[in-house]
């Protein structure tokens, strides 16, 4: 089933209900949202786009995100959400790899600080800046009314591609994760079973990037006919969210642990009571990176029982495990402390097991790779059968996360088998950064690792061996990175060293570098 039917259904049942807000300003009812999406669908079709074709969204959070996403689905197309923090050249690589036909952008993504002129995306049939007056023809409804659109939805099978999401790749290039309509339907339903009940009176706020899991939470909130709010700032601003929550909330939202911490800091600094917090926020779903037990305890103490943890990954979006509001608050349970440090139990639609490298089950309590099976797991990597075969074996997704299960089904993550660094909820593969730094003049060798950090979870540190006679400085390297990669991937620290520790085969011993960083 095509997900666009969810929107059509709501538009038919509740045409006049306010659906999309920009800040406190209502910008679309359910009928208008559906009309605009259907109208966009018509224009995709008029331009010759065929079912299965791709439309890229290189946009910061914007109310039109939802209209474009559902417009593409209405026409049977797939969306390619691109992290708005990427460098234009990185976005271009994704657009080319996905062979996207159209791209929707917000003007700020291409007005990049690194180039005075701003680089534009190339090779597309059409690039639409959603803020530009030129885009208005796409939104101008010929017969605007309160009626839901009559334009039929292009039928799609549940296993057809809906969302082509690019994750950072171990090889330095991102891989397109093929997420189907079934995957997203499963994710939407699992929100109700494992995260929270949603009613039409609820409000989801998009404070984290809509190109990621936060944007996907539009689906369960659409299923319930709830309200969708894009903060006027387009992102996270604690004071703004508190005010917005009072005005149009209480809000539900997804946030990485770093953001939760900032929200809690704000609650403390501005002396909000748990009751104030309850008026502003209904449910804060956190995940995407490890949350320290002390941080969640503090969050619960200051903001009340409004947290739920989820664990998932691009390859099984938002669906893996969940640590419920109940378990987080069950303080008298003898294993409460361990549970707080865990990521909860398997969400309803999936099975989870822990296996060794060959995929054999490990006994309870032993640390191995986390494997997931179920209807949320991706169809595979886009045009990359080798990577797909490595990730999905005999129907199980090998997540690359290492963890152990207890007798009650709680999963605790211990490490990652992949080399990934998660900085403030954003994933960075060291290889990507290393490849860039190796091209900087005066650099001979590089090893990039993550170092624990109380604010960001991890920060990126580059160990750099310079060429003989080179006078390259950390500042030069930073300037170089700024020109070549997304800002959030730049190392926060550079250690200029004479040599890198290596084993007999010449492989850099990153564990040793991490240990060096852990020393005071
Ligand atoms: P992404 O594909 O960007 O969603 O990143 C997924 C990765 O983030 C997972 O494979 C984990 O390593 C990490 N992750 C996701 N959720 C959690 C969580 N609740 N706690 C710890 N790490 C997490």
């Amino acid at each position: 089933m095509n997900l666009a039917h969810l929107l059509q259904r709501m538009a038919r049942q509740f045409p006049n209900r306010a659906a999309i807000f920009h800040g406190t300003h209502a910008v679309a009812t359910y009928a208008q949202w559906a009309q605009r999406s259907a109208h966009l669908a018509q224009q995709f079709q008029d331009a010759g786009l065929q079912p299965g074709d791709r439309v890229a969204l290189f946009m910061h959070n914007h109310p039109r995100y939802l209209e474009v996403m559902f417009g593409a689905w209405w026409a049977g197309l797939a969306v390619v959400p691109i992290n708005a923090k990427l460098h234009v050249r990185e976005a271009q690589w994704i657009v080319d790899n996905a062979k996207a036909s159209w791209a929707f952008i917000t003007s700020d993504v291409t007005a990049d600080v690194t180039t005075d002129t701003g680089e534009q995306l190339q090779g597309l049939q059409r690039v639409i800046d959603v803020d530009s007056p030129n885009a208005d023809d796409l939104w101008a409804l010929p017969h605007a009314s309160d009626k839901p659109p009559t334009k039929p939805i292009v039928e799609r099978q549940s296993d057809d591609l809906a969302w082509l999401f690019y994750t950072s790749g171990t090889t330095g290039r991102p891989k397109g994760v093929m997420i189907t309509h079934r995957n997203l339907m499963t994710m939407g339903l699992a929100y109700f079973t494992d995260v929270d009940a949603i009613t039409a009176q609820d409000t989801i706020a998009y404070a984290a990037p809509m190109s990621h899991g936060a944007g996907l939470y539009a689906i369960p909130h659409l299923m319930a006919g709830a309200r969708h709010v894009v903060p006027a700032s387009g992102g996270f601003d604690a004071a703004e969210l508190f005010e917005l929550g009072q005005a149009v909330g209480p809000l539900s939202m997804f946030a990485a642990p770093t953001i939760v911490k900032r929200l809690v800091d704000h609650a403390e600094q501005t002396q909000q009571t748990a009751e104030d917090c309850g008026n502003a926020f209904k449910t804060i779903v956190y995940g995407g990176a490890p949350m320290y037990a002390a941080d969640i305890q503090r969050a619960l103490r200051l903001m009340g029982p409004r947290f739920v943890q989820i664990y998932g990954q691009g390859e099984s979006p938002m669906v893996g495990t969940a640590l419920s509001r109940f378990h987080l608050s069950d303080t008298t349970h003898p294993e409460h402390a361990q549970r707080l440090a865990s990521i909860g139990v398997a969400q309803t639609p999936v099975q989870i097991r822990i296996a060794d490298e060959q995929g054999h089950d490990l006994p309870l309590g032993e640390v191995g790779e986390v494997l997931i099976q179920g209807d949320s797991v991706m169809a595979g990597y886009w045009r990359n059968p080798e990577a797909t075969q490595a990730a999905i074996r005999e129907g199980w997704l090998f997540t690359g996360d290492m963890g152990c299960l207890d007798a009650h089904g709680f999963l605790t993550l211990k490490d990652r088998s992949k080399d990934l660094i998660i900085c403030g909820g954003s994933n960075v593969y060291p290889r990507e950064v290393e490849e860039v730094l190796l091209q900087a003049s005066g650099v001979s060798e590089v090893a990039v690792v993550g170092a624990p950090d109380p604010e960001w979870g991890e920060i990126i540190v580059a160990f750099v061996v310079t060429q003989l006679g080179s006078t390259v400085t950390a500042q030069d390297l930073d300037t170089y990175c700024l020109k070549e990669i997304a800002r959030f991937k730049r190392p926060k620290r550079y250690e200029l060293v004479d040599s890198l520790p290596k084993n007999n085969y010449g492989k850099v011993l990153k564990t040793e570098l991490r240990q060096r960083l852990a020393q005071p």
Side-chain angles (χ1 to χ4, degrees), residues 367 402-404 412-416:
V367 175
M402 306 299 284
C404 60
T412 303
L413 289 187
K414 297 290 181 192
D415 200 356
R416 283 185 298 268

PDB file of all heavy atoms in Angstrom, residues 367 402-404 412-416:
ATOM      1  N   VAL A 367      28.539 -10.860  24.823  1.00  0.00           N
ATOM      2  CA  VAL A 367      28.514  -9.739  23.879  1.00  0.00           C
ATOM      3  C   VAL A 367      28.793 -10.233  22.461  1.00  0.00           C
ATOM      4  O   VAL A 367      29.755 -10.957  22.217  1.00  0.00           O
ATOM      5  CB  VAL A 367      29.567  -8.674  24.276  1.00  0.00           C
ATOM      6  CG1 VAL A 367      29.631  -7.563  23.234  1.00  0.00           C
ATOM      7  CG2 VAL A 367      29.252  -8.101  25.644  1.00  0.00           C
ATOM      8  N   MET A 402      27.465  -3.864  18.792  1.00  0.00           N
ATOM      9  CA  MET A 402      27.772  -4.996  19.664  1.00  0.00           C
ATOM     10  C   MET A 402      26.993  -4.813  20.963  1.00  0.00           C
ATOM     11  O   MET A 402      26.935  -3.707  21.501  1.00  0.00           O
ATOM     12  CB  MET A 402      29.273  -5.020  19.990  1.00  0.00           C
ATOM     13  CG  MET A 402      30.170  -5.012  18.769  1.00  0.00           C
ATOM     14  SD  MET A 402      29.947  -6.433  17.698  1.00  0.00           S
ATOM     15  CE  MET A 402      30.821  -7.675  18.645  1.00  0.00           C
ATOM     16  N   GLY A 403      26.408  -5.904  21.437  1.00  0.00           N
ATOM     17  CA  GLY A 403      25.625  -5.785  22.666  1.00  0.00           C
ATOM     18  C   GLY A 403      25.309  -7.143  23.252  1.00  0.00           C
ATOM     19  O   GLY A 403      25.738  -8.174  22.727  1.00  0.00           O
ATOM     20  N   CYS A 404      24.571  -7.141  24.367  1.00  0.00           N
ATOM     21  CA  CYS A 404      24.162  -8.412  24.970  1.00  0.00           C
ATOM     22  C   CYS A 404      22.726  -8.304  25.482  1.00  0.00           C
ATOM     23  O   CYS A 404      22.261  -7.215  25.833  1.00  0.00           O
ATOM     24  CB  CYS A 404      25.119  -8.823  26.080  1.00  0.00           C
ATOM     25  SG  CYS A 404      25.219  -7.635  27.408  1.00  0.00           S
ATOM     26  N   THR A 412      21.634  -4.386  25.941  1.00  0.00           N
ATOM     27  CA  THR A 412      22.574  -3.326  26.321  1.00  0.00           C
ATOM     28  C   THR A 412      23.654  -3.258  25.255  1.00  0.00           C
ATOM     29  O   THR A 412      24.254  -4.281  24.908  1.00  0.00           O
ATOM     30  CB  THR A 412      23.196  -3.624  27.703  1.00  0.00           C
ATOM     31  OG1 THR A 412      22.119  -3.750  28.633  1.00  0.00           O
ATOM     32  CG2 THR A 412      24.124  -2.519  28.151  1.00  0.00           C
ATOM     33  N   LEU A 413      23.880  -2.060  24.719  1.00  0.00           N
ATOM     34  CA  LEU A 413      24.923  -1.914  23.703  1.00  0.00           C
ATOM     35  C   LEU A 413      26.262  -1.732  24.395  1.00  0.00           C
ATOM     36  O   LEU A 413      26.362  -1.027  25.397  1.00  0.00           O
ATOM     37  CB  LEU A 413      24.650  -0.699  22.812  1.00  0.00           C
ATOM     38  CG  LEU A 413      23.480  -0.783  21.834  1.00  0.00           C
ATOM     39  CD1 LEU A 413      23.485   0.433  20.918  1.00  0.00           C
ATOM     40  CD2 LEU A 413      23.520  -2.054  21.006  1.00  0.00           C
ATOM     41  N   LYS A 414      27.292  -2.339  23.825  1.00  0.00           N
ATOM     42  CA  LYS A 414      28.624  -2.253  24.441  1.00  0.00           C
ATOM     43  C   LYS A 414      29.588  -1.481  23.569  1.00  0.00           C
ATOM     44  O   LYS A 414      30.483  -0.829  24.043  1.00  0.00           O
ATOM     45  CB  LYS A 414      29.186  -3.664  24.656  1.00  0.00           C
ATOM     46  CG  LYS A 414      28.372  -4.499  25.623  1.00  0.00           C
ATOM     47  CD  LYS A 414      28.516  -3.971  27.041  1.00  0.00           C
ATOM     48  CE  LYS A 414      27.708  -4.827  28.010  1.00  0.00           C
ATOM     49  NZ  LYS A 414      27.584  -4.212  29.313  1.00  0.00           N
ATOM     50  N   ASP A 415      29.437  -1.635  22.294  1.00  0.00           N
ATOM     51  CA  ASP A 415      30.444  -1.088  21.394  1.00  0.00           C
ATOM     52  C   ASP A 415      29.871  -1.149  19.988  1.00  0.00           C
ATOM     53  O   ASP A 415      28.776  -1.637  19.788  1.00  0.00           O
ATOM     54  CB  ASP A 415      31.693  -1.985  21.469  1.00  0.00           C
ATOM     55  CG  ASP A 415      32.937  -1.258  20.983  1.00  0.00           C
ATOM     56  OD1 ASP A 415      32.798  -0.109  20.538  1.00  0.00           O
ATOM     57  OD2 ASP A 415      34.019  -1.845  21.055  1.00  0.00           O
ATOM     58  N   ARG A 416      30.653  -0.693  19.053  1.00  0.00           N
ATOM     59  CA  ARG A 416      30.241  -0.861  17.666  1.00  0.00           C
ATOM     60  C   ARG A 416      31.321  -1.636  16.950  1.00  0.00           C
ATOM     61  O   ARG A 416      32.494  -1.399  17.163  1.00  0.00           O
ATOM     62  CB  ARG A 416      30.056   0.504  17.002  1.00  0.00           C
ATOM     63  CG  ARG A 416      28.784   1.190  17.394  1.00  0.00           C
ATOM     64  CD  ARG A 416      28.634   2.457  16.609  1.00  0.00           C
ATOM     65  NE  ARG A 416      29.703   3.379  16.889  1.00  0.00           N
ATOM     66  CZ  ARG A 416      29.645   4.323  17.833  1.00  0.00           C
ATOM     67  NH1 ARG A 416      28.567   4.446  18.563  1.00  0.00           N
ATOM     68  NH2 ARG A 416      30.651   5.120  18.027  1.00  0.00           N
TER      69      ARG A 416
END
